[in-house]
Amino acid sequence: MKRTEQKLIHIAIVVLCALSPTQPASSIQLYCNNYSEYCTINGVTINSETSDFPKFPVRAKINLVNANIDYISPEILQGMKWVSQLTIANGKVKKIFLKHDLQELVATGSETYDVIIDDVANEDLEQLSITQNRLDKIPENVGNLKALTVLTLNNNNIEVLDLGELQGLDKLKTVDLSNNKIYYMIPIDSFELSRLEIFKLNNNFLTEIDFDAWNVPRLTTLFISSNSLKYIKDFNEESFPSLKSYQDDSNLFDCRWRAGFISMLKTWTSLKNQYHYSTTCQKSVQLSSAVYRMLNINDIRNDTIDFDDKQELQNQLNSMLDTEKKHSRHIESLTKLLREQTEQFKVVSGKLQAQQTTIDGLLAQIDDLQQRVEEMKQMMPPAGRAVPKGLRERMIQDIAEVIRRNLVEIED
C-alpha cells in the first residue's frame, strides 16, 4: 500500500513538472532576505545588455540594497510586474527607467545620475526621491508626473535650476533641492503651484533670488539659508500669505539692506513668533546704486524700525544714508570730469580743424606750384639751346618764393 502511494506521488510530481511552463536554464530567481512588508534583496548584480533577466519576488514593495545595476531598463522592469514601491539604497545603479505604474521611487547613495521619464502623462507616481546621488539637473519630463506630491532631489550636483520644469504639477506639495550646487535660477514669467507647502533651497550657491513670478498661496515653509545671497527681491506677504516657517541665515546680506528687510518681515502676521529676525549680515558687502534703486531703498528707509538695539539700527540707517550721499558725490564728480573732458575735446577738435585747413592750403599751393612748373617747362627752349639768363633768374626767384611761402605755412 505504501509502495503504491509513493508511486502515485511520484507520478503526480512528474505530471506537474511536465505541465508547468519551462524556464530558461540561465534565468535567475531572486528571493527576499526578510519577511517584512518590504522585500529586501542584497547585492544583486544585473547587466542590462544580457538577454535573460532575473525574476523578482511577487511583492508590492522591494528594497534593493548594495545592488550593482548599470541600467534598470524597461526589460528588467518586466520582472517587477507587481512592484509599486521601489527603494534603492547604496550600491551602483547608474540609470533608472521610471516604471509606468510605480507609485514611489526612492534612490539614495546609489551613484544614480539619470532618471528616464517617458514623454507621456503619468498619473501613478506620487513620490520621486533621488538623494545623495549624481543628478546634474532635474530629470527631464518631470512635468509629466501629474500625480506627484513629493519631489526630493537634495544632495546632488544640480547647478542650474529651471522652476518652469515644475509647471503643471498641481498636486505637488514638497520640493527639496537643498545641498546641491545651484548658482543660477533661470528667469521665468510664472511659477504657480497651488498646493505647494514646503520648498527647500538651502545650502546652495545662489547670489540672488527674485520672487516676483511666484504664486504659491499655500506655502508654509521656505528655507534659503546658507547660500551667498546679497539681497532678496520682491519678497512680500501678498505672495506668501500662508508662510509660517522661514529661514535665510548664513548668507552674505548687505547690512544696510538687511535692516529694512527685517523691519518689513516684522509686519507679517503669519511669521510672528516663528521667525527670530536674525540681523546677521556682511558689512563688507556693498550693493551698487543701481541695485539699491531697484530694491526701492527709499521705501525701506522710511519704514518704521522697532528692534531691541535701536542704536545699532540707527547706525545702519546712517551708514545707508552716508553711502547714498557718497554715491551722489561720486556721480557729481564723474559729471564734472566728463564736462571737462568734453571741453578739452572741443579744443583739440578745433586745433585739428585748423591743422586740416593748413594742410588743405598747402595741398592747393603744391597744385599751383606743379601748374607753374608745367608752364615753365613750356617756356623752356628746345633741347640743345641754353636758357636765357634773365628767364633763368626769374624762374629761380619764382621757385624760391613758392618754397619760402610753404616753409612759412609749415612753421605757423
Side-chain angles (χ1 to χ4, degrees):
M1 183 68 180
K2 290 183 179 179
R3 190 174 296 178
T4 302
E5 290 179 355
Q6 290 177 354
K7 287 183 178 180
L8 290 174
I9 292 172
H10 179 71
I11 293 171
I13 292 173
V14 172
V15 171
L16 289 173
C17 290
L19 293 176
S20 63
T22 58
Q23 299 289 336
S26 59
S27 64
I28 304 172
Q29 182 69 44
L30 299 178
Y31 298 95
C32 301
N33 294 337
N34 62 341
Y35 295 95
S36 63
E37 184 180 8
Y38 270 97
C39 172
T40 300
I41 302 174
N42 277 286
V44 62
T45 298
I46 303 175
N47 185 347
S48 64
E49 296 182 357
T50 61
S51 57
D52 295 322
F53 302 110
K55 287 196 172 184
F56 290 80
V58 180
R59 294 286 185 89
K61 301 178 181 180
I62 287 184
N63 183 17
L64 299 178
V65 178
N66 293 316
N68 188 354
I69 306 174
D70 61 328
Y71 174 33
I72 298 183
S73 63
E75 291 77 16
I76 292 176
L77 289 171
Q78 289 180 3
M80 298 186 188
K81 293 181 180 179
W82 303 102
V83 177
S84 61
Q85 297 182 27
L86 176 62
T87 301
I88 302 169
N90 305 322
K92 296 181 180 180
V93 181
K94 303 295 186 178
K95 295 193 300 181
I96 305 172
F97 182 85
L98 190 63
K99 189 168 174 279
H100 293 287
D101 54 355
L102 204 64
Q103 295 177 4
E104 180 179 312
L105 173 61
V106 177
T108 303
S110 53
E111 300 186 12
T112 303
Y113 66 84
D114 194 11
V115 176
I116 301 173
I117 304 172
D118 263 352
D119 191 15
V120 293
N122 184 321
E123 303 289 348
D124 296 308
L125 192 75
E126 297 178 359
Q127 178 178 346
L128 178 61
S129 179
I130 312 295
T131 64
Q132 300 179 33
N133 278 294
R134 298 182 178 180
L135 293 181
D136 59 4
K137 61 180 180 180
I138 295 178
E140 190 175 351
N141 295 326
V142 71
N144 292 328
L145 306 179
K146 302 303 181 182
L148 194 66
T149 60
V150 177
L151 177 63
T152 307
L153 303 177
N154 60 284
N155 290 277
N156 279 285
N157 298 325
I158 300 173
E159 296 183 348
V160 177
L161 175 59
D162 184 3
L163 293 177
E165 296 179 355
L166 306 182
Q167 289 291 81
L169 298 179
D170 298 330
K171 297 182 179 181
L172 191 60
K173 294 182 178 180
T174 299
V175 175
D176 187 353
L177 295 166
S178 59
N179 292 283
N180 274 281
K181 300 178 181 179
I182 300 172
Y183 67 90
Y184 180 66
M185 293 175 63
I186 297 176
I188 55 176
D189 295 329
S190 176
F191 178 57
E192 182 175 354
L193 293 177
S194 58
R195 298 189 182 183
L196 186 65
E197 297 177 1
I198 299 173
F199 193 94
K200 296 181 180 180
L201 202 54
N202 48 296
N203 289 288
N204 280 285
F205 301 108
L206 289 168
T207 58
E208 63 180 62
I209 296 181
D210 186 352
F211 289 106
D212 177 58
W214 287 50
N215 184 4
V216 284
R218 295 189 184 182
L219 191 71
T220 61
T221 303
L222 177 62
F223 293 165
I224 55 175
S225 304
S226 301
N227 277 274
S228 299
L229 296 171
K230 297 180 181 179
Y231 65 91
I232 300 172
K233 187 173 182 294
D234 291 325
F235 188 69
N236 54 69
E237 190 171 8
E238 290 75 16
S239 299
F240 300 90
S242 303
L243 192 63
K244 295 180 179 179
S245 182
Y246 171 70
Q247 295 179 7
D248 65 1
D249 56 288
S250 301
N251 276 288
L252 301 176
F253 293 126
D254 179 286
C255 288
R256 300 154 298 162
W257 170 85
R258 185 67 170 166
F261 181 77
I262 298 297
S263 174
M264 180 269 296
L265 287 183
K266 280 186 68 70
T267 65
W268 285 30
T269 304
S270 59
L271 283 178
K272 284 185 177 179
N273 302 322
Q274 298 291 332
Y275 182 63
H276 299 295
Y277 304 110
S278 171
T279 57
T280 303
C281 58
Q282 299 291 327
K283 293 184 178 180
S284 60
V285 175
Q286 300 289 325
L287 296 177
S288 66
S289 300
V291 172
Y292 272 124
R293 289 181 175 83
M294 176 186 67
L295 297 175
N296 298 319
I297 291 301
N298 289 331
D299 295 337
I300 294 176
R301 183 179 59 191
N302 293 329
D303 283 338
T304 301
I305 299 178
D306 184 20
F307 291 107
D308 294 333
D309 192 351
K310 292 183 179 296
Q311 183 60 43
E312 176 62 22
L313 293 174
Q314 186 62 46
N315 292 338
Q316 291 179 3
L317 289 175
N318 291 337
S319 175
M320 183 170 65
L321 292 172
D322 291 341
T323 300
E324 289 191 48
K325 291 178 181 178
K326 289 179 182 178
H327 285 310
S328 297
R329 289 197 295 269
H330 185 55
I331 292 173
E332 291 176 359
S333 176
L334 290 176
T335 303
K336 182 180 179 181
L337 179 61
L338 179 61
R339 190 183 300 115
E340 292 175 354
Q341 290 180 345
T342 302
E343 294 296 330
Q344 292 178 1
F345 176 76
K346 290 180 179 179
V347 173
V348 172
S349 179
K351 291 182 178 180
L352 289 175
Q353 188 173 1
Q355 291 178 356
Q356 184 63 45
T357 302
T358 302
I359 292 173
D360 291 340
L362 290 175
L363 291 174
Q365 292 182 15
I366 291 173
D367 291 339
D368 182 64
L369 181 60
Q370 289 178 341
Q371 183 177 0
R372 298 187 65 176
V373 167
E374 291 296 329
E375 293 176 353
M376 291 178 181
K377 286 182 179 180
Q378 295 177 0
M379 296 174 60
M380 291 180 67
R385 295 180 56 185
V387 179
K389 182 177 181 181
L391 178 60
R392 184 171 62 250
E393 291 178 353
R394 186 164 64 84
M395 290 173 62
I396 292 173
Q397 289 176 358
D398 290 342
I399 293 173
E401 179 63 21
V402 171
I403 294 174
R404 184 185 64 78
R405 289 202 306 269
N406 290 336
L407 290 176
V408 170
E409 292 290 342
I410 293 174
E411 289 176 356
D412 293 340

